Amino acid sequence: MAAKKLVLAFCAIGFLQTSFAGFERFWIFSKDANTQVNETWDSLSDAEQAALIKRYQTLKELPEQQSVSLQQRMDWFTQLPEADKQKMRETWQRMSTHERKELATRMQNTSPEQRQTIREEYINKYLIVAEH
C-alpha cells in the first residue's frame, strides 16, 4: 500500500511539473513577446537603434540601393509621433505579404505628396476593420 502511494505521489509530482511548464504564457499579468520586443526597441537610444539597423542590414547583405531605401524609411518612421507609429505597426501586422508588396510598389511610383494619402487609406482600411 505504501508503494502504491509513493508511485501515485511521484506521478502527481511529475504531472504537475510538466503541466506548469511554460505556465507564465497563460498568466494574466505576464507580458507577451510583442510587448517585450516593443519595450526593448523603445528603450534603445536613436544611436543604438541605428546601429542595430545597420547590423541587420549587414546580416541580410542588402544591396546598397535597398540599404539606403531602408534607412530612409526607418528615418521617416522614427520621426513620427508615437500614436502614428503604433497605427502603422498595427496596420502592417494585419496586412498580407502580397498587400505589403503592393503598398511598396504604390509608394515607389507616387509623389511624396500622394504617399501620405496612400498611408491614410491603408491605415483606415485595416484599423476600421479591426474595430468591427
Side-chain angles (χ1 to χ4, degrees):
M1 189 64 157
K4 198 176 201 181
K5 286 183 180 179
L6 188 60
V7 168
L8 184 60
F10 280 129
C11 288
I13 290 172
F15 174 74
L16 287 174
Q17 255 186 329
T18 57
S19 67
F20 289 114
F23 185 70
E24 67 278 353
R25 292 179 290 165
F26 305 107
W27 182 245
I28 193 167
F29 300 112
S30 66
K31 295 180 180 178
D32 65 334
N34 289 336
T35 302
Q36 292 173 346
V37 168
N38 289 340
E39 287 178 358
T40 302
W41 179 258
D42 291 340
S43 69
L44 296 175
S45 69
D46 290 340
E48 290 171 325
Q49 287 179 356
L52 191 58
I53 291 167
K54 289 235 183 260
R55 176 72 178 139
Y56 178 74
Q57 290 172 345
T58 303
L59 290 174
K60 293 290 284 180
E61 298 178 358
L62 294 175
E64 185 62 30
Q65 182 59 32
Q66 284 181 327
S67 175
V68 169
S69 175
L70 178 60
Q71 186 62 47
Q72 289 172 345
R73 286 181 283 171
M74 289 302 296
D75 289 343
W76 169 82
F77 186 77
T78 56
Q79 293 171 3
L80 289 175
E82 193 58 40
D84 290 344
K85 286 181 187 177
Q86 190 59 34
K87 286 180 186 176
M88 291 295 294
R89 286 183 192 116
E90 290 173 11
T91 300
W92 190 257
Q93 289 173 356
R94 290 187 175 104
M95 294 171 69
S96 68
T97 304
H98 175 72
E99 290 167 321
R100 291 175 184 171
K101 288 179 182 178
E102 179 183 304
L103 175 61
T105 304
R106 284 183 67 188
M107 295 297 258
Q108 288 174 352
N109 297 332
T110 61
S111 66
E113 297 83 27
Q114 294 173 327
R115 290 179 183 163
Q116 183 61 32
T117 307
I118 294 171
R119 280 187 207 101
E120 289 173 2
E121 172 189 330
Y122 277 87
I123 287 173
N124 290 335
K125 177 181 176 182
Y126 287 97
L127 292 184
I128 289 173
V129 169
E131 291 173 359
H132 293 290

